[in-house]
Amino acid sequence: MAAGEENSHILSGLTHQLPDRDPEETAEWIESLDALIQDQGTERAQFIMRSLLQRAGAQSVGVPMVTTTDYVNTIPADQEPEFPGNEEIERKYRAWLRWNAAIMVHRAQRPDIGVGGHISTYAGAATLYEVGFNHFFRGKDHPGGGDQIFFQGHASPGMYARAFMEGRLSEEDLNGFRQEKSKEGHALSSYPHPRLMPEFWEFPTVSMGIGPMNAIYQAQSNRYLHNRGLKDTSDQQVWAFLGDGEMDEPESRGLLQLAANDKLDNLNFVINCNLQRLDGPVRGNGKIMQELEAFFRGAGWNVIKVVWGREWDDLLAKDDDGSLVKVMNTTVDGDYQTYKGESGGFVREHFFGQTPQTKEMVADLSDDEVWNLKRGGHDYRKVYAAYKAATEFKGKPTVILAHTVKGYGLGTNFEARNATHQMKKLTMPDLKLFRDHLRIPISDAELEKDLYRPPYYHPGMDAPEIKYLMDRRAKLGGFLPERRTEHAEVALPGDKTYEVANRGSGKQYAATTMAFVRLLKDLMRDKEFGKRIVPIIPDEARTFGIDAFFPTAKIYNPNGQNYLSVDRDLVLAYKESISGQIVHAGINEAGSVAAFTAAGTAYATHGEPLIPVYVFYSMFGFQRTGDSLWAAADQMARGFVIGATAGRTTLTGEGLQHADGHSPLLASTNPAVVTYDPAYGYEIGVIMRDGLERMYGKGPASGDSSRNVMYYITVYNEPIIQPPAPEDMDVEGIIKGIYLLAPAKVDGPRAQLLASGVSVPWALEAQQILADDWGVSTDVWSVTSWTELRRDGLAAEEEQFLNPGANARMPFVTEQLAGATGPIVAVSDYMKAVPDQIRQFVPNEFATLGADGFGFSDTRAAARRFFKIDSHSIVVRALEMLARRGEVDWQAPAQAIEKYKLLDVNAGTTGVTGGDS
């Protein structure tokens, strides 16, 4: 079977399934088309072909959708625009950039350092970046506001090399690559990490798949800002540089339809198709460019392929019978990779030698000339034509598929080798060949001084090439990448806004989810501040009560609402609007986090602060999208993530995969996340107010890293009586993590009950039972944050460790509990490890009750009895600890177990029914 038949799925397949009953007539039609192209060019031919296809459809002629085109450039040579720059100058300093990028990585891999790096990605992608830097990427001082560039993570050495040529980085800085503490002050992060280089990088991209997803939502966020009248972003483009191997990540492909549905023609993907993953070929037996073309076109994108360099134009023009195009179409990627690892003679024999016609085409070319038939991603003119077409295309996002060679120019030991991604240093012969290929004016003697410290090259800022480079950036609006944090002032809400949280619910039952939604509604009503809130939800607004916002705030849709809504007569009708405030991502937590990241960093990206409030099933947050939230922390996003329907026993019927008993632990692993588990609405009000003040209040400068936090607040769907805020409310205790909620009501043996979130009412009930049935006196403490208490305790320990002999600072939790006597029983609706976070900072005897194991479907009362976290379990645990101390009768615990039928799940009474799930 021929290769073309094996891979028919990657070809357009327009004719191979149909018989040609009149080849002579077919030839006449083809000759007519060829004559039209020769006489009037490809643009006219495009119109005629589209007209014929349209007519064929109207006449019910079955013409299949063309998902792939031939393996040639999308833009014909006769439609290429004139290249506006000085190609010779740009080629010269592009060589210097590639040299310096490789030398920086090579130096960092010397034996006494050995921190690694990646050489081959930028070597192969330098042209793709340089065409952008010199002609397209607008900096932040551009009148249009500047572009957002998502640089491919492994290509970071190239961006450092350019900043070195621009005078933004020194040679000492380059020598600090991947040595962020040992070379502090002159250090460069391995990849694009804004948190590590907050004035340089804007977008973290090296956790592959997150870059494409975040770029899509960045483009959407730009349009959101524009359509809501917050900022004119009409002249800003988003560029995402991606690898063809990276496109195997589900996140890379899973959100493409959003970009098409929203008509994000401000978005451009540039996929560096070097045909290689990190270990080997992407599609050795197939053609990844063809696969991606079909995928993106099917998703509604504009697709531009840059396959071949200008050296192929004459050969393709002579390809009268299509033999060359057929060979191009049927050659698989594994072979294309091999060709670049061999020689010109090998290419002549194995590629052109497949047919007599193609072999004859290159008969007059030397092996060197055959070898120098470049791929399109290394040709300035071809790439420029693609970028220009992309920025001018309207109505769809564009993807540019650029054919390149990984490790291009690094020599035969690197180019297109399977192991090239892991190769981090050059031998002396490699260095000399690379220098010769790039024409770098460095002598053999200079290279031979020290294999591990070859010199960088910079001709000086007065060199004409550097002046040209600097002039191009000046005209395009300044240097990139660059991150700025100056932003518009935020007028925060006053006391009145928080009154709803402090009032409580009276005699009505209300879950903390409802208390939160009521507060959010009042925050959004604030005339100055409300417009900055961006509610973000997956497809569960009605569960969370946010459907109450639909009629007023409306759901953002750049296409508006062009249908008659079925629920238009209802008070809570579903309403979409071009200027809608709610970002409704559908059943899509990954996209929701990407939207959160874009909104939460608008203060830096656009100088217009937005406060994203992402509300989601708590189980599908840090467990499902933790990597994206880590990237959001790297990008220094600010905002609120609300884990709704929290807890392992609160969601009743939903069962195992919905029962969250561990998200606070997962959240605690993210240093930028401030985690709270409030019990009441007034606690939520204090916490959110503190969050807003910390992010955007008066105080430290906007660039202060302590502002770059995300508040994770868990809320529950179980209705309870929401008490009003106490007159002597301990605001500091709520914010720092613990306060005394209910002092002991009787005299007797003493114990302390610590509870968080939905378990606080259980502790209050246990307090009453212990007093009434056993004469035990207990204090009930509301722990709003086990995690923040632990962080404070660890910080106090660190201070003591580094300052021996100094007066040790007491951890806040230790200070709060200083006068609290008796054993402690700590309880939450999470696994025991959540309350256990503070155990080392509490001198009292300490016991934890928690919901370890998988959740399940049942009543709340039965589930809590099963996990032994209900009110009666708290009572028994307290009695056991007091009995061991001899403070209550030793038989009391056993009596209590029998009295409350603690081993019978059907005897549980803790909690109420109700609440959506």
Side-chain angles (χ1 to χ4, degrees), residues 754-874:
L754 275 59
S756 69
V758 75
S759 69
V760 169
W762 318 342
L764 291 171
E765 184 180 359
Q767 179 191 49
Q768 191 67 49
I769 296 170
L770 281 163
D772 293 346
D773 293 0
W774 307 97
V776 171
S777 174
T778 56
D779 297 318
V780 174
W781 300 77
S782 177
V783 180
T784 53
S785 180
W786 306 99
T787 302
E788 291 309 298
L789 292 176
R790 174 173 177 78
R791 286 176 173 172
D792 172 75
L794 291 174
E797 283 188 348
E798 182 81 357
E799 291 169 24
Q800 184 178 4
F801 165 53
L802 297 176
N803 298 280
N807 290 330
R809 176 176 74 82
M810 186 179 290
F812 183 76
V813 65
T814 313
E815 184 180 304
Q816 286 286 82
L817 294 172
T821 58
I824 289 175
V825 178
V827 62
S828 76
D829 202 21
Y830 298 98
M831 58 195 301
K832 294 181 179 72
V834 174
D836 270 350
Q837 291 179 94
I838 68 167
R839 183 186 288 262
Q840 74 197 72
F841 309 111
V842 179
N844 310 50
E845 184 184 356
F846 193 94
T848 304
L849 300 180
D852 288 58
F854 290 110
F856 50 84
S857 300
D858 212 313
T859 65
R860 290 175 178 139
R864 287 161 189 169
R865 177 55 57 92
F866 173 84
F867 284 118
K868 305 300 180 289
I869 56 175
D870 60 352
S871 302
H872 296 111
S873 297
I874 298 171

Side-chain angles (χ1 to χ4, degrees), residues 120 341 407 410-420 423 425-427 429-430 433:
S120 296
L410 289 171
T412 55
N413 290 332
F414 279 77
E415 282 192 358
R417 298 294 175 183
N418 279 337
T420 191
M423 296 168 72
K425 56 187 176 182
L426 300 129
T427 65
D430 287 334
L433 283 171

Side-chain angles (χ1 to χ4, degrees), residues 81-219:
E82 184 177 348
F83 182 73
N86 185 317
E87 194 170 356
E88 185 56 36
I89 287 179
E90 294 183 28
R91 182 183 293 114
K92 189 178 288 187
Y93 66 70
R94 185 171 78 244
W96 302 341
L97 293 171
R98 293 174 63 221
W99 172 264
N100 289 332
I103 296 309
M104 180 184 70
V105 174
H106 175 75
R107 282 187 168 210
Q109 192 58 13
R110 63 184 183 270
D112 58 320
I113 299 294
V115 293
H118 298 281
I119 295 177
S120 296
T121 297
Y122 180 71
T127 297
L128 302 179
Y129 285 111
E130 281 304 298
V131 171
F133 275 121
N134 291 318
H135 303 285
F136 292 95
F137 303 161
R138 278 97 47 102
K140 293 187 180 297
D141 293 325
H142 189 274
D147 297 337
Q148 287 94 46
I149 320 294
F150 288 73
F151 295 99
Q152 194 175 0
H154 294 117
S156 62
M159 310 315 124
Y160 294 140
R162 176 169 253 275
F164 172 62
M165 301 304 289
E166 295 165 339
R168 295 201 289 156
L169 295 178
S170 67
E171 186 169 322
E172 189 177 359
D173 294 329
L174 298 191
N175 287 335
F177 179 58
R178 293 192 169 200
Q179 299 151 73
E180 294 174 70
K181 299 304 178 186
S182 57
K183 297 289 179 64
E184 193 165 2
H186 292 282
L188 303 178
S189 63
S190 55
Y191 303 120
H193 292 301
R195 188 167 281 273
L196 300 177
M197 296 179 66
E199 295 179 356
F200 193 84
W201 296 113
E202 272 200 291
F203 306 105
T205 53
V206 86
S207 184
M208 288 186 280
I210 289 179
M213 177 170 65
N214 283 2
I216 290 171
Y217 276 87
Q218 183 64 56

Side-chain angles (χ1 to χ4, degrees), residues 398-438:
T398 293
V399 59
I400 296 165
L401 304 173
H403 197 191
T404 63
V405 178
K406 194 165 187 175
Y408 181 72
L410 289 171
T412 55
N413 290 332
F414 279 77
E415 282 192 358
R417 298 294 175 183
N418 279 337
T420 191
H421 188 77
Q422 282 73 32
M423 296 168 72
K424 307 173 191 306
K425 56 187 176 182
L426 300 129
T427 65
M428 187 57 70
D430 287 334
L431 279 170
K432 291 179 178 179
L433 283 171
F434 190 40
R435 174 206 58 190
D436 294 343
H437 174 73
L438 298 176

Side-chain angles (χ1 to χ4, degrees), residues 195 204 210 593 596-597 621-623 625-639 641 662-676 694 705 708-712 785 787-788 791 837:
R195 188 167 281 273
I210 289 179
V593 178
F596 172 89
T597 303
F622 289 88
Q623 174 166 297
T625 56
D627 191 21
S628 291
L629 286 161
W630 189 266
D634 190 348
Q635 198 170 322
M636 290 178 280
R638 303 174 185 175
V641 283
H662 51 280
S663 67
L665 282 180
L666 299 177
S668 74
T669 65
N670 191 320
V673 173
V674 184
T675 303
Y676 286 99
R694 183 169 175 180
S705 62
N708 303 323
V709 290
M710 299 173 281
Y711 273 49
Y712 177 50
S785 180
T787 302
E788 291 309 298
R791 286 176 173 172
Q837 291 179 94

Side-chain angles (χ1 to χ4, degrees), residues 274-505:
N274 55 36
L275 316 184
Q276 291 186 238
R277 291 178 179 147
L278 307 186
D279 287 334
V282 180
R283 296 289 184 271
N285 293 324
K287 295 173 86 68
I288 187 61
M289 288 186 74
Q290 301 295 82
E291 177 189 316
L292 292 176
E293 178 185 21
F295 201 92
F296 276 88
R297 184 168 283 123
W301 287 52
N302 174 43
V303 180
I304 300 174
K305 288 194 297 189
V306 184
V307 189
W308 307 113
R310 72 194 73 174
E311 298 84 1
W312 292 85
D313 288 346
D314 289 341
L315 294 177
L316 285 165
K318 293 189 293 185
D319 186 29
D320 296 329
D321 63 355
S323 297
L324 178 57
V325 171
K326 184 176 181 181
V327 170
M328 290 173 167
N329 283 342
T330 56
T331 299
V332 296
D333 284 356
D335 285 331
Y336 276 122
Q337 183 187 347
T338 299
Y339 296 150
K340 296 311 294 185
E342 298 293 338
S343 65
F346 187 94
V347 174
R348 180 193 302 278
E349 178 183 353
H350 292 272
F351 179 76
F352 289 103
Q354 292 182 49
T355 71
Q357 297 94 320
T358 51
K359 187 174 183 180
E360 178 61 26
M361 279 184 181
V362 294
D364 297 334
L365 299 182
S366 68
D367 285 352
D368 285 345
E369 287 173 318
V370 170
W371 180 249
N372 285 322
L373 291 167
K374 293 184 179 63
R375 295 184 178 172
H378 303 302
D379 189 312
Y380 247 45
R381 295 183 196 172
K382 304 297 184 183
V383 174
Y384 176 84
Y387 285 9
K388 189 171 189 293
T391 55
E392 293 174 354
F393 192 89
K394 300 302 177 187
K396 291 182 180 182
T398 293
V399 59
I400 296 165
L401 304 173
H403 197 191
T404 63
V405 178
K406 194 165 187 175
Y408 181 72
L410 289 171
T412 55
N413 290 332
F414 279 77
E415 282 192 358
R417 298 294 175 183
N418 279 337
T420 191
H421 188 77
Q422 282 73 32
M423 296 168 72
K424 307 173 191 306
K425 56 187 176 182
L426 300 129
T427 65
M428 187 57 70
D430 287 334
L431 279 170
K432 291 179 178 179
L433 283 171
F434 190 40
R435 174 206 58 190
D436 294 343
H437 174 73
L438 298 176
R439 301 182 180 89
I440 306 296
I442 295 174
S443 67
D444 282 357
E446 287 179 281
L447 290 180
E448 290 167 357
K449 285 178 184 176
D450 187 340
L451 170 61
Y452 293 105
R453 289 178 176 82
Y456 300 110
Y457 181 75
H458 196 303
M461 298 303 292
D462 291 332
E465 296 88 353
I466 301 302
K467 287 183 176 179
Y468 176 99
L469 177 151
M470 299 292 279
D471 179 64
R472 292 306 310 147
R473 287 313 315 155
K475 288 177 178 175
L476 285 166
F479 298 123
L480 286 171
E482 182 188 17
R483 182 177 178 274
R484 298 180 183 177
T485 56
E486 298 81 9
H487 59 71
E489 187 175 344
V490 179
L492 294 179
D495 295 343
K496 188 175 181 181
T497 304
Y498 298 93
E499 287 178 0
V500 66
N502 292 333
R503 271 200 302 266
S505 60

Side-chain angles (χ1 to χ4, degrees), residues 675-735:
T675 303
Y676 286 99
D677 185 29
Y680 300 124
Y682 68 80
E683 294 177 355
I684 295 173
V686 169
I687 291 164
M688 291 197 70
R689 187 171 194 171
D690 176 69
L692 292 172
E693 288 286 348
R694 183 169 175 180
M695 295 172 203
Y696 292 109
K698 304 292 184 184
S702 62
D704 182 3
S705 62
S706 67
R707 291 182 175 274
N708 303 323
V709 290
M710 299 173 281
Y711 273 49
Y712 177 50
I713 304 174
T714 54
V715 294
Y716 299 84
N717 70 317
E718 182 172 356
I720 62 172
I721 295 293
Q722 294 288 337
E727 290 186 10
D728 57 346
M729 182 166 59
D730 184 357
V731 172
E732 181 188 32
I734 292 173
I735 293 170

